[in-house]
Amino acid sequence: EVQLVESGGGLAQPGGSLRLSCAASGFIFSSYAMTWVRQAPGKGLEWVSAISDSGLSMYYADSVKGRFIISRDNSKKTLSLQMNSLRADDTAIYYCARVLTYYGSGSWPWGQGTLVTVSS
Amino acid sequence: QSALTQPRSVSGSPGQSVTISCTGTSSDVGGHNYVSWYQKHPGKAPKLLICDVSTRPSGVPDRFSGSKSGNTASLTISGLQAEDEADYYCCSYAGTNTLVVFGGGTKLTVL
């Protein structure tokens, strides 16, 4: 079964850090680009970051550029998102997803999401 | 303000059809065929309905269809069912700087 499972969410203080992980199974992880998308409480979906299948190309939304770092370990079939300098408006459910063909063309599957709360 | 513009809400009765629009620019929706649509129920992960403008992934009912004209993409849901009540989001590739943009989402109410 093709599956993604996120972990690492929780409560962080403003200015603090958290590291999210996404464990993949059921497919050849190294053959697919991956992406992170978030949804703040009561808000819509927001694209956060993406990484190519090789890990050589990384992309970020302006809202997180310079604070978040996306990475992947193809040997461990794991995607990560290092979140630094966290702000209250980073509070959201974070989803990882597999990019089917090209960025924006469609992503499936999605993980169940992990909640990040930034508050003092 | 989202990069792609969707109506905040649409509604329809069971059995009817509804269409949700998604308007962008020539830099995103109008520039290529990397447009997708997602269904989101509260507390659940987004579900891919349409990829590459009009392709339905395996398992998605043919009641869901996608199309594009110029800078506007559309999702049509025919034969509305109660379980179709959800939020719907469009998504598009937007170039190497922005990469991906979502619409603001449309809440579908089945009357």
Side-chain angles (χ1 to χ4, degrees), chain B:
Chain B
Q1 186 175 355
S2 303
L4 304 179
T5 301
Q6 298 180 233
R8 293 185 68 91
S9 64
V10 297
S11 62
S13 300
Q16 288 186 332
S17 296
V18 295
T19 297
I20 300 171
S21 61
C22 170
T23 302
T25 69
S26 58
S27 297
D28 38 64
V29 173
H32 52 77
N33 287 328
Y34 300 132
V35 177
S36 49
W37 288 90
Y38 298 89
Q39 178 189 62
K40 178 115 182 16
H41 285 106
K44 297 285 188 67
K47 175 186 177 182
L48 179 63
L49 293 176
I50 299 290
C51 56
D52 298 329
V53 174
S54 60
T55 301
R56 260 189 326 274
S58 174
V60 175
D62 59 6
R63 302 186 296 104
F64 295 91
S65 62
S67 63
K68 190 185 81 166
S69 177
N71 296 337
T72 298
S74 298
L75 173 71
T76 297
I77 309 171
S78 58
L80 273 176
Q81 300 179 1
E83 58 262 36
D84 297 334
E85 187 161 294
D87 294 324
Y88 292 83
Y89 294 89
C90 61
C91 177
S92 173
Y93 173 70
T96 54
N97 284 336
T98 304
L99 199 72
V100 173
V101 290
F102 278 93
T106 298
K107 181 176 181 58
L108 169 63
T109 300
V110 180
L111 302 171

